[in-house]
Amino acid sequence: MALAPAVFALVACGRLAFPPVPDGEPIELTPSRAATTWTDTDGGTLELKPDGTVLADRVCSDHDIIDGEDAPRSGSGTWESWEDDGGSEITVSFDTDSTATTSYLALRDGGKLKLWTYVGDPDEGTPLCVLIAPAG
């Protein structure tokens, strides 16, 4: 009974566990397969181009505070793909800010391909950023 207040306090502060990883299994994406337009749940897009450049329009990322505002990212930049524990990690660097780099992990959930990352500090219980590739 004495533990109940401590557990409640940890849950209330979001310190007990990270938000769950999205459904799916890690997948290695070839650069040619990763090069497509990915869409988040709010309609933001991340276009990864075959030449290694990127164009983002209101896309979610791992930064929850940008220029003092809670906002999605827009702009251009570059991207690279890395192999990470049996899956791919896509790293996007935005031209507008040399410190604005986001890394997304790749998943396959049935017939869907996803990129995902935590938004801000996972301890804070913020939602995940999940991008879906078009079918095909």
Side-chain angles (χ1 to χ4, degrees):
M1 210 45 148
L3 289 177
V7 170
F8 177 76
L10 287 172
V11 171
C13 293
R15 302 282 184 218
L16 194 57
F18 291 160
V21 172
D23 290 337
E25 297 295 322
I27 183 173
E28 289 182 28
L29 293 178
T30 62
S32 63
R33 182 58 188 110
T36 190
T37 300
W38 299 81
T39 305
D40 67 27
T41 56
D42 293 324
T45 58
L46 181 69
E47 182 182 359
L48 303 178
K49 298 180 181 184
D51 66 358
T53 60
V54 64
L55 187 59
D57 182 29
R58 299 173 293 119
V59 71
C60 63
S61 69
D62 60 356
H63 300 284
D64 56 355
I65 303 296
I66 302 166
D67 300 328
E69 293 184 30
D70 185 8
R73 291 208 186 271
S74 294
S76 59
T78 58
W79 70 278
E80 295 179 278
S81 178
W82 308 93
E83 193 174 315
D84 181 41
D85 293 329
S88 291
E89 180 177 322
I90 307 293
T91 302
V92 177
S93 300
F94 291 90
D95 292 338
T96 55
D97 182 349
S98 62
T99 63
T101 300
T102 298
S103 292
Y104 300 93
L105 298 176
L107 298 174
R108 177 184 297 281
D109 182 16
K112 290 183 185 175
L113 294 179
K114 299 177 182 179
L115 296 179
W116 77 278
T117 190
Y118 289 109
V119 177
D121 184 348
D123 286 349
E124 294 175 359
T126 55
L128 298 175
C129 169
V130 179
L131 307 173
I132 306 291

